[in-house]
Amino acid sequence: MMTAILGISAFYHDSAAALVIDGRIVAAAQEERFTRVKHDSAFPSRAIAYCLSEGNLTPADLDYIAFYDKPLTKFERLLENYLAYAPSGFLSFRLAMPLWLKDKLHMRRTIRRALESPTKARLIFADHHETHAASAFFPSPFERAAIITLDGVGEWSTATFGVGEGHRIRLIDHIAFPHSLGLLYSAFTYYCGFKVNSGEYKLMGLAPYGQPVYKDVILERLIDLKADGSFWLNMDYFQYCQGLTMTGRRFHELFGGPPRASESSLEQRHMDLAASIQAVTEEAVLRIGRHVQAQTGMKHLVLAGGVALNCVANGRLLREGTFDDLWIQPAAGDAGGALGAALFVWHQLLEKPRPLMGRDLQQGSFLGPHYSTEHAARLLAGKQLPGQRFIDESELVDHVASTLADGKVVGWFQGRMEFGPRALGARSILGDPRSPAMQATMNLKIKFRESFRPFAPVVLLDRATEWFDLKPGQESPYMLLVATVREDRRVPIDPEARRIMQEDPDLRHRVNVVRSEIPAVTHVDYSARIQTVDEERNPRLARLLEAFERLTGCPVLVNTSFNVRGEPIVCTPEDAYRCFLATDMDVLVLEDIVLTKDATTRQAGEAAREQYLAQFQLD
Ligand SMILES: [Fe+2]
């Protein structure tokens, strides 16, 4: 008798589904990849259908369906919050109500109806932060670990800590809404003109350009951060309890004006604000880490919740040495709640042990759909496109490596799609990090954005310490740690370049000053968001890096997600082909087939470009 558990997260942002059969993660995917609507928060019907097909199941075969939060408790928070701020919160309350009355309060009915066929499965509603905690601890490689969850808000909690031991987790303490590190970071994201719930990454990328000159003001006026990492926000400055915006008049007065309009130019003030809130966040995370270590006595730490995607803070926490090692759930945001909910039922409620095997149980986070070479061949044949099919993998990787060394940009579509916001080499765009032009080229011609951020590097695990300041053997398989480029890989900067780096109002000029042997992935403070890879985690990508190193002496590639600005990462070969066509990508690798863009496809792509880009809202 097998036990099949479906986890669901929905109706907030980043809806997702996950399937766990007898404790093994069989599948997990975000709804946005199927609907092509970024951060899609609708009920994840298509992600559920995919998960069931991956497990060869129908809804009738499911034993449990686990939802990632408790709708009634959440509703109670909304109601209490409204009453506390009434009548000023009426507008946001009124806007939220129809969906609550229609779907959210009747989640049992909504779920059963959405499955479209009968199921005997028991429905379980887990606590939101318990699902984050479960998603962090259960797939981790640790027998015992401290747990920290940090996000915007779930039902009431915004931060929790606890311990995981064997197959059980126990949350010990929490901080409740409206006091929230995630919402504090989002308030600055909003104020600096980026989108809440997606632009936090940009704010983190902006921080190295600034100085933390507002850090003290933030600590004095906005947040009372205690020595143990607990905190209290001064709600006089925030608007998210009663309005439709994050920040209020007093906040704007404190920081010298109204919020920046999105897409308008960035001033030094915004960079300094980014540096300041980043510094405060790191300080809070470090204090929480120290407190939790002292309280639990654990050597290892696991993390989840949206704030755990702050890889700069994670890198600092690791360097600080409070814990010997950390593991971060790659789908740390609310999508990961679907996985956490399913694992929570299996381990915590059904009391099933965890099979620890040295490495984590996340399987590289390659938990999404896979498409065969035959599928890709049919697609290209239908378009009369002459792709080159490789029978021998070493010939394929040698070919692609030399293309990359020639400065070409390669769409790399291999195996099962990643679960989580980062592309990890299954749906990636790759390039040569040694090229001083690569950052600008990939941004303008492929992503269609003007970015002040460098790209992330993927590096062979056993070469990582030769390029980055990482401890020997330190893995970062999910691109969730930041470390600096090694001193001996940096290059001297002449006075003119230094002037540009410090003063040029156009941040793209600053980021494009060559600072290291791998400029496309080196930020202005020499930091890099690292992904390590080895034969076991992703054999084909590891072999590609080896081939590239044989040619160039460099075991590093640029790895960015396979999409344009505002587009969800591609899921199917069809999505990949459309994105390849509409951009200036040079080569598309679909499983064993390599397609090189010729003049005709290039022209066709340029004609289709505008229409393609118009589908996606800027993020
Ligand atoms: Fe959350």
Side-chain angles (χ1 to χ4, degrees), residues 283-512:
E283 187 58 43
V285 169
L286 291 181
R287 287 189 198 182
I288 294 169
R290 280 182 221 127
H291 173 71
V292 169
Q293 203 288 324
Q295 291 287 306
T296 63
M298 291 287 169
K299 286 196 179 112
H300 296 133
L301 171 68
V302 296
L303 286 159
V307 181
L309 292 171
N310 193 309
C311 42
V312 181
N314 299 341
R316 246 192 101 184
L317 194 57
L318 191 65
R319 277 196 304 284
E320 183 98 342
T322 313
F323 292 94
D324 291 353
D325 202 359
L326 6 142
W327 193 83
I328 304 143
Q329 166 56 239
D334 282 352
L339 178 60
L343 291 172
F344 182 82
V345 170
W346 177 252
H347 294 297
Q348 191 88 358
L349 301 185
L350 302 178
E351 302 192 333
K352 302 290 186 185
R354 288 160 67 222
L356 287 174
M357 296 175 297
R359 276 198 161 168
D360 66 59
L361 306 172
Q362 186 84 12
Q363 304 161 46
S365 223
F366 301 116
L367 299 168
H370 159 263
Y371 301 86
S372 64
T373 292
E374 280 63 39
H375 181 123
R378 278 196 302 275
L379 165 72
L380 297 183
K383 299 184 183 302
Q384 271 107 41
L385 286 167
Q388 189 183 354
R389 188 166 180 164
F390 287 80
I391 305 300
D392 181 347
E393 190 189 71
S394 63
E395 282 178 26
L396 170 86
V397 294
D398 282 343
H399 176 85
V400 177
S402 74
T403 310
L404 287 161
D406 273 350
K408 301 280 192 283
V409 177
V410 174
W412 180 255
F413 184 104
Q414 298 289 330
R416 298 185 68 179
M417 181 176 70
E418 302 88 345
F419 181 50
R422 306 276 85 84
L424 302 169
R427 304 289 185 274
S428 288
I429 299 173
L430 306 176
D432 185 346
R434 301 168 307 151
S435 157
M438 193 51 75
Q439 197 270 358
T441 306
M442 281 174 90
N443 270 313
L444 291 174
K445 296 186 152 183
I446 316 282
K447 295 280 193 174
F448 302 105
R449 65 183 182 194
E450 297 185 352
S451 180
F452 51 80
R453 294 178 301 157
F455 288 103
V458 56
V459 58
L460 279 172
L461 176 61
D462 59 3
R463 294 282 189 283
T465 54
E466 294 168 22
W467 292 79
F468 303 100
D469 295 314
L470 283 170
K471 283 192 295 188
Q474 177 66 54
E475 273 200 280
S476 177
Y478 304 116
M479 213 187 267
L480 286 168
L481 288 178
V482 160
T484 41
V485 173
R486 264 174 68 132
E487 197 89 45
D488 55 355
R489 298 287 179 188
R490 301 180 190 179
V491 298
I493 297 169
D494 65 49
E496 173 55 13
R498 187 162 298 281
R499 191 195 59 74
I500 292 172
M501 223 169 107
Q502 284 162 354
E503 293 170 18
D504 199 303
D506 189 335
L507 300 187
R508 292 166 306 165
H509 297 159
R510 293 199 208 178
V511 76
N512 285 322

Side-chain angles (χ1 to χ4, degrees), residues 98-290:
L99 192 58
W100 274 99
L101 297 175
K102 183 170 159 280
D103 286 328
K104 297 188 185 180
L105 275 179
H106 311 284
M107 202 61 80
R108 279 174 197 280
R109 197 179 65 196
T110 308
I111 291 172
R112 291 197 189 275
R113 202 183 277 161
L115 286 176
E116 287 177 358
S117 64
T119 175
K120 62 178 190 322
R122 269 187 65 187
L123 248 64
I124 289 173
F125 295 90
D127 175 87
H128 183 74
H129 275 259
E130 251 168 4
T131 69
H132 276 318
S135 78
F137 178 66
F138 293 134
S140 82
F142 308 133
E143 166 68 27
R144 309 165 73 224
I147 304 171
I148 297 176
T149 67
L150 294 165
D151 74 353
V153 61
E155 294 94 356
W156 278 104
S157 297
T158 65
T160 70
F161 83 86
V163 288
E165 282 187 286
H167 64 275
R168 298 195 67 81
I169 55 172
R170 182 166 53 89
L171 295 182
I172 296 167
D173 206 352
H174 83 141
I175 292 173
F177 184 85
H179 308 289
S180 163
L181 209 51
L183 291 175
L184 175 68
Y185 206 90
S186 292
F188 280 88
T189 303
Y190 165 84
Y191 185 69
C192 290
F194 303 113
K195 260 194 184 168
V196 170
N197 290 330
S198 71
E200 283 75 6
Y201 235 66
K202 294 183 189 172
L203 194 69
M204 187 180 75
L206 187 63
Y209 292 102
Q211 294 299 323
V213 294
Y214 300 104
K215 185 183 172 189
D216 292 341
V217 179
I218 296 172
L219 289 172
E220 276 159 29
R221 309 287 281 275
L222 300 190
I223 177 170
D224 181 10
L225 180 62
K226 309 280 193 218
D228 65 359
S230 62
F231 49 85
W232 191 259
L233 297 189
N234 183 346
M235 295 312 295
D236 291 347
Y237 290 92
F238 302 93
Q239 195 80 34
Y240 56 78
C241 280
Q242 64 271 48
L244 297 175
T245 60
M246 294 297 293
T247 54
R249 187 178 50 81
R250 287 188 65 180
F251 189 104
H252 308 159
E253 280 167 10
L254 189 60
F255 295 113
R260 170 183 163 255
S262 69
E263 309 301 311
S264 67
S265 66
L266 283 156
E267 298 161 19
Q268 191 58 44
R269 185 168 69 94
H270 302 117
M271 303 167 209
D272 293 341
L273 282 164
S276 305
I277 190 59
Q278 180 63 31
V280 169
T281 304
E282 288 171 27
E283 187 58 43
V285 169
L286 291 181
R287 287 189 198 182
I288 294 169
R290 280 182 221 127

Side-chain angles (χ1 to χ4, degrees), residues 533-552:
V533 109
D534 59 57
E535 275 283 326
E536 197 189 320
R537 291 270 188 209
N538 188 335
R540 187 170 274 191
L541 182 60
R543 285 174 210 143
L544 177 66
L545 285 161
E546 284 161 12
F548 188 73
E549 185 185 25
R550 280 195 298 276
L551 279 176
T552 65

